[in-house]
Each structure stands twice: as C-alpha cells, then as structure tokens.
C-alpha cells in the first residue's frame, strides 16, 4: 500500500457498480480482488441487494472467478433476517421481494406468513418481477397492521442496460398508499449493516476502508462510522457529482483496479 493507504488493514467492497455492472464483471475488478486475497487482505462484500441470498451472491462471484466464503458476504437480505431473528424471533413476515430474500429469512428461522393480512412484518426489497398482485398483497399486509422493514432505500442501481429503479420505488408505493413510513431500514448506510460488517472482519473502523460507487450509501456509511471512504466512478456516481462536495470521499478512483497499485493514480 502507498503512504495514504498503508494503515488500512481490511476492505469492505460494494458489489453492484464496483465489482459488477449487472452480471458483467467490471474490467479488472476480479483480478484486483484476487490480488488483494493473495496479499492476505481481509475482505467483506457489502451490498444493499436484498432480493438475492448470500448463496446466490457467492455463486455469482465464483462464476466470475472469485472464491469467497458465504460469511464474507453481507447483503441487506441477510441483515434484514438477522434483525428479525435478534429482536422479533417469534413474529411472522410477508415478503415483498424475491426468493433470495425469502431464503435468507427462512434460514434465520423467521416464519413466513401464509396470508399478508396475518403478517407482523412486511419485508420490502427490490422486486424485478413485480406484479400488481405482489403490490396489493404488500398493501394489505400493512393495512392490517404489519410493520414495514425495508432492506434499503436506494433510488436506483446500475444494470448492464443502464440505471434501474431500486427499492425506493417499491417502498414509496406502499408508503404512499398506506400513509405509513418504514419502521426499519437495515441496508447501507445504517448501523445494522456497518456493525455486521465490522464484526465479520473483526476490525475497528479506523483500520478499515469502504469501496463503493454510491455517495448516499457506501460513502455516507463510511463517514458516519469512521471508515476511510473510496469512491469508484464505475457505477452510479460521476466525477462531476463530487465536484465541490463539502463531505467528499477520502479518495476518488476511476475504478477498483487502482487498489491493485496501492491507490496510486
């Protein structure tokens, strides 16, 4: 590592927009991560993706050529399941999302409600195959008393075909129609996500850096909890957007590949 990054002993790595665009690895990203693994650098992969499970994310990384342990992957779906397991283990959930989220909830021992009207919690995440029935069931869950847990509140995320609507779209529809706000949001930049990540790495914030493409989630979380912040320009943020920012990231790199050279530009 160069002089600027020599005190960093671990990295939190965002996935979408940092390692992948959609299902396509960003050029040089996998080689960079393999290099860091070879150096023995502790890594944790931290993503607001709440519609997939850690197993699915692990398989995606493996297909790209990167071997990662499941416990090194911290998704908002997993953090949502952990939150309910820790604080409301006997309560039921209705999933407004996809199978990966349901898998994480069931693995944590959270009972899924058989009817939306009987659920204690509505768990909202990205839903790329959304139907009217899905939305109406979520609406009914909340109208019958379910509290709202959102995996994150990001407005958009980068896909191979361009910027795409994220959880804020699903959450906004439910909030607008029920006149209820989300009770809990567990994804970045929340302390739920930060705490899980630092626990996994077994490291203090000042020895850790977060690498990501989002000012509102990755960089905001890093600043809130005392991590070094590295913004990459391969996803949802352009160089123009960070010009003149009062709370600018500690480092701005064109891509994650600059970590391979110790952060040298």
């Amino acid at each position: 590592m160069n002089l600027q990054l020599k005190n960093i002993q671990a990295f939190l790595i965002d996935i979408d927009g940092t390692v992948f665009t959609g299902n396509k690895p960003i050029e040089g990203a996998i080689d960079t991560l393999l290099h860091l693994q070879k150096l023995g650098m502790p890594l944790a992969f931290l993503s607001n993706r709440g519609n997939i499970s850690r197993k699915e994310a692990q398989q995606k990384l493996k297909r790209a050529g990167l071997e990662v342990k499941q416990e090194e992957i911290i998704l908002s779906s997993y953090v949502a399941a952990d939150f309910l397991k820790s604080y409301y283990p006997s309560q039921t959930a209705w999933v407004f999302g996809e199978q990966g989220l349901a898998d994480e909830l069931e693995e944590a021992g959270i009972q899924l409600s058989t009817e939306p009207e009987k659920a204690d919690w509505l768990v909202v995440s990205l839903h790329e195959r959304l139907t009217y029935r899905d939305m109406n069931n979520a609406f009914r869950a909340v109208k019958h008393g379910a509290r709202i847990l959102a995996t994150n509140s990001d407005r958009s995320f980068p896909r191979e075909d361009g910027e795409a609507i994220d959880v804020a779209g699903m959450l906004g529809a439910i909030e607008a129609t029920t006149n209820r706000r989300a009770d809990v949001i567990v994804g970045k930049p929340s302390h739920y996500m930060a705490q899980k990540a630092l626990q996994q790495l077994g490291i203090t914030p000042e020895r850790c850096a977060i690498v990501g493409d989002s000012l509102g989630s990755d960089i905001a979380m890093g600043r809130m909890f005392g991590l070094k912040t590295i913004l990459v320009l391969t996803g949802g943020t352009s160089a123009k957007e960070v010009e003149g920012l009062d709370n600018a990231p500690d480092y701005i790199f064109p891509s994650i590949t600059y970590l391979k050279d110790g952060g040298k530009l």
Side-chain angles (χ1 to χ4, degrees):
M1 288 292 163
N2 70 354
L3 183 62
Q4 293 176 315
L5 293 175
K6 69 177 183 179
N7 292 325
I8 299 303
Q9 297 177 356
F11 286 104
L12 300 179
I13 308 291
D14 174 52
I15 298 177
D16 291 311
T18 302
V19 181
F20 292 92
T21 301
N23 289 314
K24 182 180 179 181
I26 290 168
E27 185 176 358
I30 299 300
D31 285 343
T32 298
L33 294 168
L34 288 168
H35 175 72
L36 292 175
Q37 284 183 333
K38 187 176 180 180
L39 292 177
M41 178 67 70
L43 306 174
F45 292 84
L46 197 65
S47 175
N48 269 353
R49 274 281 186 164
N51 62 328
I52 65 172
S53 66
R54 288 170 297 161
K55 184 177 180 179
E56 289 174 292
Q58 182 186 37
Q59 291 170 343
K60 180 176 179 177
L61 289 164
K62 185 176 182 178
R63 286 193 298 270
L66 192 68
E67 295 282 351
V68 176
K69 296 177 182 177
Q70 186 167 295
E71 57 265 28
E72 295 171 335
I73 300 171
I74 301 167
L75 307 179
S76 61
S77 54
Y78 163 67
V79 180
D82 185 76
F83 172 84
L84 292 177
K85 178 182 178 180
S86 298
Y87 299 105
Y88 301 95
S90 63
Q91 295 196 335
T92 63
W94 183 264
V95 172
F96 184 26
E98 296 172 7
Q99 188 59 46
L101 174 57
D103 290 344
E104 286 290 346
L105 291 169
E106 290 187 308
E107 186 173 334
I110 303 303
Q111 183 179 349
L112 302 184
S113 179
T114 56
E115 298 176 36
E117 294 86 353
K118 295 181 179 179
D120 298 302
W121 287 89
L122 174 70
V123 185
V124 183
S125 189
L126 178 63
H127 201 336
E128 295 185 87
R129 292 177 286 275
L130 179 63
T131 67
Y132 177 81
R133 181 180 180 182
D134 295 325
M135 187 172 290
N136 199 44
N137 280 336
F139 167 80
R140 288 175 175 174
V142 176
K143 291 297 285 185
H144 282 80
R147 299 172 70 185
I148 303 171
L149 186 160
T151 58
N152 62 292
S153 58
D154 294 348
R155 293 181 174 86
S156 64
F157 70 100
R159 288 197 320 191
E160 292 177 43
D161 59 351
E163 189 176 20
I165 192 170
D166 206 339
V167 178
M170 284 93 251
L171 180 60
I174 298 306
E175 290 182 332
T177 54
T178 64
N179 199 30
R180 286 272 309 279
R181 302 289 292 178
D183 295 277
V184 182
I185 299 174
V186 297
K188 294 178 290 186
S190 80
H191 71 277
Y192 303 110
M193 187 73 93
Q195 184 180 45
K196 275 293 169 190
L198 293 172
Q199 282 177 350
Q200 165 59 35
L201 290 171
I203 199 165
T204 55
E206 64 273 12
R207 297 292 187 183
C208 186
I210 184 167
V211 186
D213 70 304
S214 171
L215 291 170
S217 58
D218 304 309
I219 305 307
M221 192 183 85
R223 294 188 64 84
M224 286 167 65
F225 298 101
L227 289 79
K228 288 294 183 185
T229 55
I230 301 172
L231 178 74
V232 293
L233 303 177
T234 48
T237 305
S238 67
K240 187 175 182 179
E241 289 178 82
V242 295
E243 290 178 4
L245 277 181
D246 292 333
N247 296 320
D250 293 309
Y251 309 102
I252 302 172
F253 294 157
S255 77
I256 195 174
T257 60
Y258 282 76
L259 292 181
K260 194 172 181 179
D261 297 320
K264 296 178 182 178
L265 292 171

